[in-house]
Amino acid sequence: MADRLTGGDSSLLRRINAAVTLRALRDGQSVTLTQLVGDTGLSRPTVEGVIEGLMESGLVAEVEHTQDNGRQRGRPARWFRFRAEAGHILGVEVGVHDIRVILADLTGEVLGTHAKPVGETLDADERLSCVRTTVAEVLRKAGVSRDSLWAVAVGTPGIVDREGTVRLGTAIPGWTGLDLGARLRRSFRCPVVIENDANLAAIAEHWQGAAVGKGDVVFVMAGLSPGAGSLINGRLHRGFGGAAGEIGALHLLGQEATPERLLSTTGKPLDPLDEAAVARVLRLAREGDEVAQVAMDRFLRRLVHDVAALVLALDPELVVVGGWAAGLDGVLEPLREQLELYCLRAPEVALASLGSEVVAMGALRVALDHVEEQLFAVDPPGASAR
Amino acid sequence: MADRLTGGDSSLLRRINAAVTLRALRDGQSVTLTQLVGDTGLSRPTVEGVIEGLMESGLVAEVEHTQDNGRQRGRPARWFRFRAEAGHILGVEVGVHDIRVILADLTGEVLGTHAKPVGETLDADERLSCVRTTVAEVLRKAGVSRDSLWAVAVGTPGIVDREGTVRLGTAIPGWTGLDLGARLRRSFRCPVVIENDANLAAIAEHWQGAAVGKGDVVFVMAGLSPGAGSLINGRLHRGFGGAAGEIGALHLLGQEATPERLLSTTGKPLDPLDEAAVARVLRLAREGDEVAQVAMDRFLRRLVHDVAALVLALDPELVVVGGWAAGLDGVLEPLREQLELYCLRAPEVALASLGSEVVAMGALRVALDHVEEQLFAVDPPGASAR
């Protein structure tokens, strides 16, 4: 307390001054020393010292400015820019059907992306080996060294704890109990964060998709095994054990059936991972097949029920519906109508807009958060008063 | 940004120094000037100036200390204490069956409390007039002037928006649409905050009850019209429109019935506000009546379902069960067992411990937060970086 009010130590101050200066440079435009002095509120000698240090560490470069028209008197202005290429980040999805990797620079600008289809029966070792080759491929194509990675974030289905162990993951063989964080950290020297896929989808849609500007958002991954991710005041709500939003178990209560039973037209449940069979039922329903229509109806009622449970618990401003079922005709409108009917305060309902990259993009945003925390944060975490 | 780093203006600094000094005094023990200098890290002249100002505004008093043994050399030490009696706060519950008022001083020490039973059919005007007479009674008995009130917080059933209007309140006649905040503000010169009753119960149990030390808590108000309040990282989650936790509408979906139907032994639904009829059914069930046992079972399954929906959405560390149904035999254990079965990560389940005062105590805590924000906050709200 007293420390903070009376000034604090000088290395903290240096860190803060560097963060303030980098913030003024982060847009990627080159800026003069004089502009930096104005933007930061710091003194000219302080900014000069900070810039010197940032150039030594490779984060800032001096720029030749030929546009100077030479009519100015005195010393020519010195121009600087943030070196976004000083480091790189990866956003990765380890999904049931795909491995997807997105590479970006320190401002989040995407430099390369690659998706590789994988069999849903692939075991954990094979799947991880496929992650490694996909990462290597993306780095090689972009000509980026593995050592220049500052942060890697990875999304995957299931309940993931803060250390990166999959506490429960029924969608992928061998996933439950896997210490995914430790396994992937062997391949990287930088921090590796593991997060639930629906949580990352919520973050991605808030960053660049259908939820931009909305603080209280629920993202529903609509499919046979529905999951959800929630933002509260713009921040991810993981829950005490990382299991928030895993509403798929609701159907086990009472007499309700699982989606794979609800959608069956034969009396025999569908394979929950067989999206083709599901798509067939939905196509039949659209074509007028009565049995398929009844099945589709049962499935929709189930989805509405799950989403309503989330909405009543959290009261979000916006529900974003993604996952493969979101793209199907006749899913969004009934959901919107039913929520209007059953929720005390019905939220807006929108279709996800980032498509199949949504989870990897959310992972990229988490990796970028990590970088920005290191570069731009003025308050070190946990230092605020109260 | 720049302002903050280079110092800020002197009135802000005075406010911060006063807050820091008051914090050091808040425990209620009297303290010497020298101790204050040590505790705050401020200089002796600064502390003297701050104390002078606080004595003028009535928040600090100088204390005679006869225990001084006189053997000390130099000036005798000056002792000071925080004047908790300089102001007062009220925590109020406007319930279906009771009006309850708790009066406390600026440290939250309770000085008086009064509960008045009211008929469930009382309309809004009569109910508010009853609130006013109960408040007047409590103030009169404690010999406290209405002008010395710093903050009033009020809990009531229903969805309440941030301005204090009841958006939906089916439990009390004339409640939906009522601008309860504006109506009650006519009786007080200080700020009046209105909040949902289950939300306040969550806050109260976290303050002094079964949830002390737990950050992620769901409080379930178990009864015929179940509601819930949630804390995330120790802070109330109200939802975008104040409707978070209002899970009672879930039963409208699908084929599920309302609790008053589930608990009926005659085929005719019970009156949802008739707690006596409900208690009769539950007593019969305990005595072995089969029809009543089936009804009780239906009711429990319904409660488990509602709580499971909340737990799956939020993943709390602890579920606290309160409301009149919580006190009944055979509610807690089945709930705990069923949550273990159906939730991916089962939370702890505990009985509420604050009894019938829980909502008014939560209101008192909210009023106290308001006072502490004014007295002790070093960071004005919204001033933190990022």
Side-chain angles (χ1 to χ4, degrees):
Chain A
M1 188 67 259
D3 241 355
R4 195 156 183 238
L5 293 175
T6 53
D9 70 272
S10 69
S11 85
L12 175 63
L13 206 61
R14 264 201 305 276
R15 218 186 65 76
I16 291 175
N17 289 341
V20 169
T21 306
L22 278 173
R23 278 189 191 205
L25 280 163
R26 77 203 280 188
D27 291 338
Q29 299 303 312
S30 48
V31 168
T32 64
L33 202 65
T34 307
Q35 280 172 310
L36 282 175
V37 168
D39 290 350
T40 59
L42 298 170
S43 74
R44 192 172 187 97
T46 300
V47 174
E48 281 175 337
V50 167
I51 285 286
E52 211 56 52
L54 291 171
M55 282 170 67
E56 268 168 40
S57 63
L59 284 170
V60 166
E62 188 160 359
V63 189
E64 298 269 339
H65 247 261
T66 50
Q67 297 103 307
D68 276 4
N69 57 19
R71 260 178 278 167
Q72 289 170 284
R73 275 178 274 185
R75 313 180 275 191
R78 293 179 70 192
W79 293 77
F80 301 95
R81 69 171 181 88
F82 175 57
R83 288 190 69 241
E85 71 276 26
H88 296 87
I89 54 175
L90 290 179
V92 180
E93 177 183 13
V94 186
V96 178
H97 303 284
D98 297 281
I99 306 295
R100 191 178 296 268
V101 176
I102 305 180
L103 170 73
D105 68 18
L106 292 183
T107 58
E109 193 174 313
V110 173
L111 304 176
T113 175
H114 191 64
K116 191 174 203 149
V118 288
E120 59 210 35
T121 56
L122 221 61
D123 73 17
D125 284 339
E126 295 167 312
R127 204 171 288 265
L128 287 176
S129 135
C130 184
V131 171
R132 280 187 289 270
T133 55
T134 312
V135 166
E137 170 96 0
V138 168
L139 290 174
R140 192 185 52 74
K141 266 195 187 161
V144 165
S145 148
R146 183 175 298 258
D147 288 341
S148 101
L149 290 174
W150 281 36
V152 175
V154 180
T156 197
I159 301 178
V160 182
D161 70 17
R162 272 170 212 279
E163 285 70 45
T165 296
V166 180
R167 290 289 161 201
L168 188 68
T170 51
I172 296 179
W175 226 232
T176 298
L178 183 73
D179 189 345
L180 188 55
R183 291 292 292 275
L184 288 175
R185 273 176 210 117
R186 288 182 207 157
S187 307
F188 302 101
R189 288 199 198 153
C190 64
V192 176
V193 179
I194 318 289
E195 188 54 85
N196 168 270
D197 53 359
N199 287 353
L200 292 178
I203 289 171
E205 291 288 339
H206 180 249
W207 183 28
Q208 300 195 344
V212 168
K214 308 280 183 183
D216 294 320
V217 180
V218 167
F219 179 96
V220 177
M221 194 74 96
L224 286 186
S225 181
S230 308
L231 304 184
I232 295 174
N233 293 326
R235 296 176 66 90
L236 182 65
H237 173 64
R238 306 186 76 259
F240 183 69
E246 294 298 320
I247 45 171
L250 256 192
H251 62 84
L252 298 173
L253 297 158
Q255 292 84 7
E256 290 161 273
T258 60
E260 48 271 29
R261 275 179 196 285
L262 297 177
L263 269 178
S264 166
T265 51
T266 62
K268 218 183 116 224
L270 302 177
D271 178 340
L273 299 176
D274 186 355
E275 295 180 359
V278 176
R280 206 157 46 236
V281 172
L282 298 173
R283 200 192 55 236
L284 282 171
R286 270 202 306 283
E287 290 168 5
D289 182 288
E290 271 185 43
V291 179
Q293 277 173 343
V294 170
M296 172 77 181
D297 219 55
R298 279 194 305 249
F299 173 73
L300 265 179
R301 218 159 38 217
R302 166 67 207 294
L303 184 65
V304 168
H305 183 274
D306 285 349
V307 176
L310 275 169
V311 167
L312 291 169
L314 290 167
D315 184 22
E317 182 178 6
L318 171 69
V319 173
V320 178
V321 186
W324 61 262
L328 303 168
D329 272 355
V331 166
L332 202 66
E333 264 320 303
L335 183 62
R336 196 175 269 145
E337 281 164 24
Q338 300 282 302
L339 287 179
E340 285 281 350
L341 269 178
Y342 294 121
C343 292
L344 302 180
R345 204 202 60 76
E348 294 171 52
V349 178
L351 215 55
S353 69
L354 295 180
S356 56
E357 291 208 323
V358 66
V359 174
M361 283 299 285
L364 196 70
R365 178 66 250 184
V366 167
L368 192 57
D369 283 347
H370 187 88
V371 164
E372 295 190 345
E373 181 72 33
Q374 290 180 281
L375 290 178
F376 306 126
V378 166
D379 277 331
S384 86
R386 265 192 97 148
Chain B
M1 187 69 256
D3 241 352
R4 195 157 184 238
L5 293 174
T6 54
D9 69 275
S10 68
S11 85
L12 175 63
L13 204 61
R14 267 202 304 277
R15 219 186 65 77
I16 291 176
N17 289 341
V20 169
T21 307
L22 278 173
R23 278 190 192 204
L25 280 162
R26 78 203 278 188
D27 291 338
Q29 301 300 312
S30 46
V31 168
T32 64
L33 202 65
T34 307
Q35 280 172 310
L36 282 176
V37 169
D39 289 351
T40 60
L42 299 170
S43 73
R44 192 171 189 98
T46 299
V47 173
E48 281 174 337
V50 166
I51 284 287
E52 210 57 51
L54 290 170
M55 283 171 66
E56 267 168 39
S57 63
L59 284 170
V60 164
E62 187 158 1
V63 190
E64 298 269 338
H65 246 260
T66 50
Q67 297 102 307
D68 276 4
N69 57 19
R71 259 178 278 165
Q72 291 170 279
R73 276 177 272 185
R75 317 177 274 191
R78 293 179 72 191
W79 293 77
F80 302 94
R81 70 169 180 87
F82 175 57
R83 288 189 68 240
E85 70 275 26
H88 296 87
I89 56 175
L90 290 179
V92 179
E93 177 183 12
V94 185
V96 177
H97 302 284
D98 297 280
I99 306 294
R100 191 178 297 269
V101 176
I102 305 180
L103 171 72
D105 68 17
L106 292 184
T107 58
E109 192 174 312
V110 173
L111 305 175
T113 175
H114 191 64
K116 191 173 203 152
V118 288
E120 59 211 33
T121 57
L122 222 60
D123 73 17
D125 284 339
E126 296 168 311
R127 203 171 289 265
L128 287 176
S129 135
C130 185
V131 171
R132 281 188 287 270
T133 56
T134 311
V135 166
E137 170 98 0
V138 168
L139 290 174
R140 192 186 53 73
K141 265 195 186 161
V144 165
S145 150
R146 183 175 297 258
D147 288 341
S148 100
L149 291 174
W150 282 36
V152 175
V154 180
T156 197
I159 301 178
V160 182
D161 69 18
R162 274 171 210 277
E163 286 69 44
T165 297
V166 181
R167 290 288 159 201
L168 188 69
T170 52
I172 296 179
W175 225 233
T176 298
L178 184 74
D179 189 347
L180 189 55
R183 291 293 292 275
L184 288 174
R185 274 176 210 118
R186 290 182 205 158
S187 307
F188 302 101
R189 288 200 200 154
C190 64
V192 176
V193 179
I194 318 288
E195 188 53 84
N196 168 270
D197 54 358
N199 286 353
L200 292 177
I203 289 171
E205 292 287 338
H206 181 248
W207 183 28
Q208 300 195 345
V212 168
K214 308 280 184 183
D216 294 320
V217 180
V218 167
F219 179 96
V220 177
M221 194 75 97
L224 286 187
S225 181
S230 308
L231 305 184
I232 295 174
N233 293 327
R235 297 176 66 92
L236 182 63
H237 173 64
R238 306 186 77 259
F240 182 69
E246 295 297 320
I247 43 170
L250 255 192
H251 61 83
L252 298 173
L253 296 158
Q255 293 83 8
E256 290 163 272
T258 61
E260 48 271 31
R261 276 179 196 284
L262 297 177
L263 268 178
S264 166
T265 51
T266 62
K268 216 182 117 228
L270 302 177
D271 178 341
L273 299 175
D274 186 354
E275 296 182 357
V278 176
R280 207 158 45 238
V281 173
L282 299 173
R283 199 191 56 237
L284 282 170
R286 272 202 306 281
E287 289 169 6
D289 182 287
E290 273 184 43
V291 179
Q293 277 173 344
V294 171
M296 171 77 180
D297 220 55
R298 279 195 303 251
F299 173 72
L300 265 179
R301 218 161 35 217
R302 166 69 207 293
L303 184 65
V304 167
H305 183 274
D306 285 349
V307 176
L310 275 169
V311 166
L312 291 170
L314 290 166
D315 185 23
E317 181 176 6
L318 170 70
V319 173
V320 178
V321 186
W324 63 262
L328 304 166
D329 274 356
V331 167
L332 202 66
E333 265 320 303
L335 183 61
R336 195 175 270 145
E337 282 164 23
Q338 300 282 301
L339 287 179
E340 286 279 350
L341 270 178
Y342 294 120
C343 293
L344 301 180
R345 205 202 58 78
E348 294 173 50
V349 178
L351 215 54
S353 70
L354 295 179
S356 56
E357 292 208 324
V358 67
V359 174
M361 284 300 283
L364 196 71
R365 178 66 250 183
V366 168
L368 193 57
D369 284 346
H370 188 88
V371 164
E372 295 189 347
E373 182 71 33
Q374 291 181 279
L375 290 177
F376 305 127
V378 166
D379 277 331
S384 86
R386 263 191 96 144

